[in-house]
Amino acid sequence: MPTTVQGYAAHASNADLVPFSFERRDLRRDDVEIDILFCGVCHSDIHHVRNDWGGETYPIVPGHEIVGRVTRVGPGVTRFVEGQVVGVGCLVDSCRECSSCHHDLEQYCLNGSTLTYAGKDRHDGSLTFGGYSEKIVAAERFVLSIPAGLDLAGAAPLLCAGITTYSPLKRFGAGAGKKVAVVGLGGLGHMALKLAHAMEAEVTLFSRSPGKEEDAFRLGADKVVISKDEEQMKAVAGTFDLIIDTVPYAHDVNPYVATLAVEGALVLVGYLGPLEGDNAVNSAPMVFRGKTLAGSLIGGLAETQEMLDFCGQHGIVSDIEMIDIQDINAAYERMHRSDVKYRFVIDAASLGK
Ligand code: NAP
Ligand code: ZN
Ligand code: ZN
């Protein structure tokens, strides 16, 4: 029997999120049912709700940084048992047959991965609903183990902010002797500082916002550069092996490209879309200094588990501000003003209030 659950949904791009009840499907063979404990609030939740990327179908129940406890498993499930603490990130399914899926890159599934919310279930065509709710059902392959010892609310943001920054750090070789910079100190940015520091890279934060220096040093930065200050930008020209750019909106990347060393790479994880006009990218530094401009989307499931285990070993979780679901609209407003240190996490118990 499907289970009726309480959640919070947006019914239009200009509407607040409001209480919404809906059904979670009965378990398929490889399904895991999870009682949600905590769900992080990602800037992508705002992009989806506001239809920033177009093509959304409403209602949208956001949330893809989910930690909870297993309540039931389907008959084919082998890796999870009732009572176990688990996580679900941005994906709940993929085709499992294409070359990306075969190479543990489910996020790049050539037949389209199934997003945790605002996606379409590939078996019954229903709209997927995310973690701003009491329960979720997901296929075993897309469920992660949460290492013992991590604070569970702080672990929730690892499922998106953690893996989205861990994956390009690994792919582009962050480690001892490497100079890594992070653009933007928000949810993704603060995880990038912690992870790059734990990988033993030398870490710099680029921020628009003076006043974040003390936090940046505490989070793992060795240096802070105020990106609006031309002198400070000039002083780091030709420096970095890798830059992770988390800025959510269209912006000029050329000043950051100038701070890359020879064969350095700038990886965009925030903004999606054309860089035009004043923001158009100049290819000359790519050619004359062998630089790379790249992008990256979350990470595959195996790498997400690797990241969680790394965080378990290093005691890394997100710095969070816990909220009740009733505060979600105010939280979105504050995220627009970059007024969050550094991730809101919803206490799912508040759904019962
Ligand atoms: P967030 O917590 O709101 O942080 C974004 C940070 O970017 C802000 O704290 C701010 O840092 C900086 N910033 C904001 N507006 C800016 C502007 N107009 N110009 C320059 N800097 C600006 O957001 P988040 O949750 O970290 O997400 C960041 C972006 O990544 C979003 O677009 C989100 O959709 C995307 N995302 C992508 C993936 C992926 O797989 N690629 C996964 C998750 C999220 P300062 O004040 O320090 O400058
Ligand atoms: Zn996210
Ligand atoms: Zn696939």
Side-chain angles (χ1 to χ4, degrees):
M1 286 271 289
T3 314
T4 302
V5 298
Q6 281 304 317
Y8 255 59
H11 292 272
S13 65
N14 56 0
D16 277 352
L17 277 76
V18 293
F20 174 64
S21 71
F22 62 96
E23 298 207 321
R24 289 295 186 192
R25 66 170 179 265
D26 206 3
L27 300 195
R28 297 175 187 144
R29 215 183 134 63
D30 66 338
D31 270 345
V32 177
E33 183 192 67
I34 300 158
D35 249 351
I36 297 175
L37 295 168
F38 301 106
C39 183
V41 180
C42 178
H43 206 108
S44 300
D45 299 350
I46 300 180
H47 288 309
H48 275 289
V49 164
R50 299 291 171 240
N51 201 17
D52 286 345
W53 298 321
E56 300 290 353
T57 305
Y58 295 84
I60 294 176
V61 177
H64 59 206
E65 295 184 335
I66 299 164
V67 166
R69 210 175 277 282
V70 175
T71 44
R72 284 193 299 157
V73 297
V77 169
T78 57
R79 288 168 45 233
F80 299 103
V81 293
E82 192 188 325
Q84 200 172 337
V85 176
V86 295
V88 174
C90 302
L91 306 177
V92 285
D93 209 347
S94 69
C95 85
R96 313 180 197 193
E97 283 170 354
C98 71
S99 60
S100 294
C101 289
H102 278 304
H103 288 96
D104 291 323
L105 295 168
E106 297 90 344
Q107 75 275 33
Y108 302 127
C109 174
L110 299 176
N111 296 306
S113 60
T114 306
L115 297 180
T116 301
Y117 68 85
K120 201 171 164 191
D121 184 275
R122 54 201 327 115
H123 305 285
D124 63 19
S126 63
L127 196 57
T128 58
F129 293 133
Y132 296 8
S133 62
E134 293 172 313
K135 279 179 192 289
I136 191 162
V137 174
E140 171 173 38
R141 174 170 171 159
F142 296 83
V143 178
L144 289 308
S145 306
I146 304 296
L150 290 183
D151 174 68
L152 297 185
L158 301 178
L159 276 307
C160 176
I163 184 59
T164 300
T165 49
Y166 181 90
S167 183
L169 286 169
K170 288 290 283 204
R171 176 173 152 209
F172 290 93
K178 295 287 175 158
K179 292 191 166 110
V180 172
V182 174
V183 186
L185 185 55
L188 266 54
H190 96 291
M191 286 312 310
L193 294 184
K194 290 188 186 212
L195 292 167
H197 177 74
M199 291 173 187
E200 298 178 14
E202 188 185 313
V203 190
T204 297
L205 172 72
F206 284 114
S207 178
R208 303 165 302 169
S209 316
K212 289 186 174 178
E213 289 89 344
E214 212 174 292
D215 279 1
F217 294 135
R218 179 177 54 78
L219 294 165
D222 300 289
K223 202 171 177 174
V224 175
V225 173
I226 299 301
S227 52
K228 288 176 178 162
D229 182 328
E230 277 182 32
E231 288 305 313
Q232 290 193 33
M233 293 298 281
K234 262 191 216 153
V236 290
T239 300
F240 301 109
D241 300 298
L242 174 62
I243 300 175
I244 309 286
D245 182 337
T246 75
V247 174
Y249 304 103
H251 60 288
D252 186 3
V253 300
N254 295 297
Y256 300 111
V257 171
T259 70
L260 286 173
V262 168
E263 292 196 331
L266 184 149
V267 186
L268 292 165
V269 294
Y271 175 65
L272 278 183
L275 291 167
E276 297 169 327
D278 290 346
N279 297 323
V281 178
N282 178 359
S283 69
M286 306 325 154
V287 175
F288 287 110
R289 294 287 184 272
K291 298 179 183 184
T292 299
L293 183 60
S296 188
L297 181 69
I298 45 174
L301 275 296
E303 193 174 44
T304 304
Q305 190 63 59
E306 177 190 308
M307 175 275 308
L308 287 167
D309 295 343
F310 179 88
C311 289
Q313 282 152 21
H314 292 267
I316 296 176
V317 291
S318 173
D319 284 24
I320 65 157
E321 186 176 330
M322 190 96 83
I323 57 167
D324 286 348
I325 189 70
Q326 292 78 8
D327 298 327
I328 189 66
N329 298 301
Y332 279 13
E333 281 307 312
R334 284 185 50 197
M335 282 171 75
H336 266 300
R337 301 195 300 267
S338 296
D339 175 24
V340 50
K341 291 185 171 175
Y342 279 90
R343 201 55 142 186
F344 290 115
V345 170
I346 298 162
D347 180 355
S350 61
L351 280 154
K353 281 186 189 169

